[in-house]
Amino acid sequence: MATDVSLRVNGTTHHLALPARTSLLDALRERLGLTGTRKGCDQGGCGACTVLVDGRRVLSCLTLAVQHDGADVTTVEGVGDGAGGRHPLQDAMVRHDGYQCGYCTSGQICSALGMLAEHAAGLPSHVSDRVGPDAPLPLSREEIRERMSGNLCRCGAYNGIVEAIAETAGRP
């Protein structure tokens, strides 16, 4: 039995009839052909499938598409200026050699963008030493590493990824 789901993905609204147990990841990859989002461990442990749902990072393999009916979803294909130009974070990833094999990269980019928004909103991490609406959080390398700890890179490009995020965070 199919359930009607409406998803706004990368600025385009899609009306889909999906089995209720279809993950958001499978809806994106198999129904919409957006293969930039990777299926890694399929258990939420690696972060390769991270997308943004209403601006917040979500492991798309662990959530059902029907849970996001009406939501605004951004995949790595939707990151950038929409005219084929890359986002400054993508340029920084290239400069700092944060891509390596590239398998985890789409999840790393979506997660980093969500993380930067969380940080800008003042949300603390596990290593935040100050908490509260009036406590500005510095975005140290330690903060970045903690906030990105849900995204694994088998190539070990962590130093480049952290530098790319730090550079992007320093942009006006």
Side-chain angles (χ1 to χ4, degrees):
M1 179 172 169
T3 301
D4 293 329
V5 178
S6 177
L7 298 171
R8 184 170 167 82
V9 182
N10 301 331
T12 301
T13 300
H14 300 272
H15 300 283
L16 305 168
L18 301 170
R21 297 185 337 180
T22 303
S23 71
L24 179 59
L25 173 63
D26 288 342
L28 294 170
R29 287 183 58 85
E30 296 172 12
R31 296 298 300 272
L32 299 179
L34 297 170
T35 57
T37 304
R38 302 288 191 230
K39 183 178 273 192
C41 67
D42 211 19
Q43 299 176 4
C46 72
C49 67
T50 304
V51 298
L52 299 171
V53 176
D54 295 329
R56 302 189 75 172
R57 44 190 176 163
V58 168
L59 297 170
S60 63
C61 74
L62 291 184
T63 188
L64 300 174
V66 297
Q67 293 175 282
H68 303 291
D69 185 32
D72 191 10
V73 179
T74 302
T75 69
V76 73
E77 290 95 340
V79 173
D81 66 6
R86 292 186 298 214
H87 186 280
L89 176 60
Q90 292 170 308
D91 288 333
M93 291 280 280
V94 171
R95 276 192 300 280
H96 294 283
D97 200 23
Y99 277 124
Q100 299 294 320
C101 81
Y103 194 82
C104 71
T105 304
S106 59
Q108 298 277 0
I109 288 171
C110 287
S111 187
L113 294 174
M115 180 276 290
L116 290 171
E118 291 166 11
H119 177 263
L123 299 177
S125 76
H126 182 68
V127 297
S128 299
D129 59 354
R130 292 178 283 178
V131 178
D134 298 326
L137 299 169
L139 191 58
S140 66
R141 300 314 192 255
E142 182 183 19
E143 277 284 342
I144 292 171
R145 289 181 190 282
E146 171 57 26
R147 291 173 184 265
M148 293 296 294
S149 63
N151 289 77
L152 303 179
C153 171
R154 291 186 177 113
C155 300
Y158 294 114
N159 290 335
I161 293 168
V162 169
E163 289 306 312
I165 295 169
E167 180 184 305
T168 303
R171 290 177 181 261

